[in-house]
Amino acid sequence: MTKMNVESFNLDHTKVAAPYVRLAGIKEGKNGDVVHKYDVRFKQPNKEHMKMDALHSIEHLMAENIRNHTDHVVDMSPMGCQTGFYLTMINHDNYEEVLTILENTLQDVLQANEVPACNEVQCGWAANHSLEGAKELAKEMLEKRNEWSTIFA
């Protein structure tokens, strides 16, 4: 297979075992800042995916709540394939701490009473949300917390 510019296009998706949290890339800036990108995979690629309303809601919940646990988050964004998210952090390279931050954030999802910014002013598709679906995704991911460090089957 020809090496591609996009890191995930070079990953053999048939060999990974979701759920997992994988360091997908490191970039160093000209001024010494270091950005770490994590592949936070909820669902097994090409076998299952998150429903859009649940994915959309857990994205809002995680993006808002993860920042309560660390100041190092640059972005938390969904994958187009609907199997996971990319977590981008700056000047933070402690993998075990990243796992704890994610665990705490998913616990926040379970405690949520509403989806933040779930309105037409703050969201581009406010009608497409499911708090219950988001909580189910968080529950499933947390139930397999001990598997997050195992990337390949």
Side-chain angles (χ1 to χ4, degrees):
M1 196 164 46
T2 304
K3 184 165 171 56
M4 310 265 315
N5 292 323
V6 177
E7 183 276 337
S8 65
F9 295 167
N10 296 306
L11 175 70
D12 186 340
H13 287 71
T14 66
K15 303 278 190 244
V16 297
Y20 63 79
V21 178
R22 176 180 72 90
L23 178 61
I26 300 172
K27 298 262 185 189
E28 188 168 341
K30 293 179 183 176
N31 296 318
D33 287 317
V34 181
V35 175
H36 289 75
K37 180 176 80 171
Y38 294 91
D39 170 349
V40 182
R41 196 71 62 147
F42 278 60
K43 299 291 185 178
Q44 185 62 35
N46 299 301
K47 302 290 183 196
E48 51 187 350
H49 66 277
M50 292 179 271
K51 291 182 181 175
M52 194 61 217
D53 59 351
L55 179 151
H56 190 188
S57 295
I58 200 169
E59 177 226 348
H60 276 230
L61 286 155
M62 289 192 309
E64 180 65 18
N65 287 305
I66 197 167
R67 289 166 169 87
N68 296 331
H69 301 290
T70 181
D71 293 329
H72 297 279
V73 172
V74 174
D75 191 36
M76 181 94 192
S77 52
M79 296 175 178
C81 61
Q82 297 174 235
T83 62
F85 296 86
Y86 285 112
L87 170 62
T88 309
M89 299 184 77
I90 192 164
N91 299 326
H92 186 283
D93 64 353
N94 186 323
Y95 177 78
E96 291 302 320
E97 192 172 299
V98 169
L99 298 182
T100 299
I101 290 165
L102 286 166
E103 180 178 8
N104 292 338
T105 301
L106 290 168
Q107 290 291 348
D108 292 340
V109 172
L110 295 179
Q111 301 304 314
N113 295 317
E114 63 182 9
V115 176
C118 180
N119 60 70
E120 291 185 3
V121 173
Q122 295 175 292
C123 177
W125 194 9
N128 185 50
H129 282 280
S130 171
L131 177 60
E132 296 78 23
K135 287 184 175 192
E136 184 59 31
L137 290 171
K139 180 178 170 282
E140 290 171 4
M141 190 72 168
L142 286 166
E143 285 174 349
K144 296 187 176 185
R145 168 63 175 88
N146 63 333
E147 298 176 21
W148 292 1
S149 297
T150 305
I151 313 322
F152 297 98

